[in-house]
Amino acid sequence: EVEFVESGGGLAQAGGSLRLSCAASGDDGDADAIGWFRQAPGKAREGVSCMSDSDGSTYYADFVKGRFTISRDNVKNMVYLQMNNLNPEDAARYYCARGVWGPPCLYAYWGQGTQVTVSS
């Protein structure tokens, strides 16, 4: 079982920033990457960003490139998603997930998510 503790969501104004945090623990089998995906009501799930465990390679979806940054702290076993220059289209529930490095990543385990709201 894999456990996730996500935080950092909330309300931001368009052009503003938020930082999401995630602590993941537990047996995740052959997972070799960690990342974030999002889902807005009535919309399909979208992979946002992920990072390879082996060498720290990163992947970003085109719609967040240049605005979002994924990072991890291996000492604290945390992963972060710094989100800058947010726009209303970024509003969604963001999920921290463990899976297989592609890229993009294919996720097998994820948390409950944290809500991001962006006001225009």
Side-chain angles (χ1 to χ4, degrees):
E1 181 180 355
V2 184
E3 295 184 352
F4 299 86
V5 178
E6 299 142 310
S7 61
L11 174 65
Q13 290 186 332
S17 299
L18 288 172
R19 189 176 84 148
L20 306 184
S21 300
C22 172
S25 60
D27 182 4
D28 55 17
D30 294 333
D32 63 358
I34 191 164
W36 300 85
F37 66 87
R38 70 188 188 186
Q39 189 163 24
K43 294 187 178 181
R45 180 183 299 179
E46 297 180 307
V48 174
S49 178
C50 61
M51 178 179 283
S52 167
D53 289 350
S54 62
D55 63 3
S57 295
T58 57
Y59 160 82
Y60 295 96
D62 286 344
F63 52 80
V64 303
K65 281 182 180 176
R67 301 189 298 123
F68 291 12
T69 303
I70 190 171
S71 62
R72 83 191 287 177
D73 183 330
N74 289 324
V75 174
K76 296 181 179 179
N77 203 26
M78 297 285 293
V79 64
Y80 306 97
L81 186 68
Q82 178 67 44
M83 305 187 296
N84 296 331
N85 195 20
L86 287 161
N87 59 60
E89 291 71 36
D90 294 318
R93 193 163 189 85
Y94 284 71
Y95 297 84
C96 179
R98 289 280 292 162
V100 177
W101 174 253
C105 296
L106 298 176
Y107 297 116
Y109 309 95
W110 52 88
Q112 295 297 311
T114 185
Q115 186 67 38
V116 170
T117 304
V118 183
S119 62
S120 57

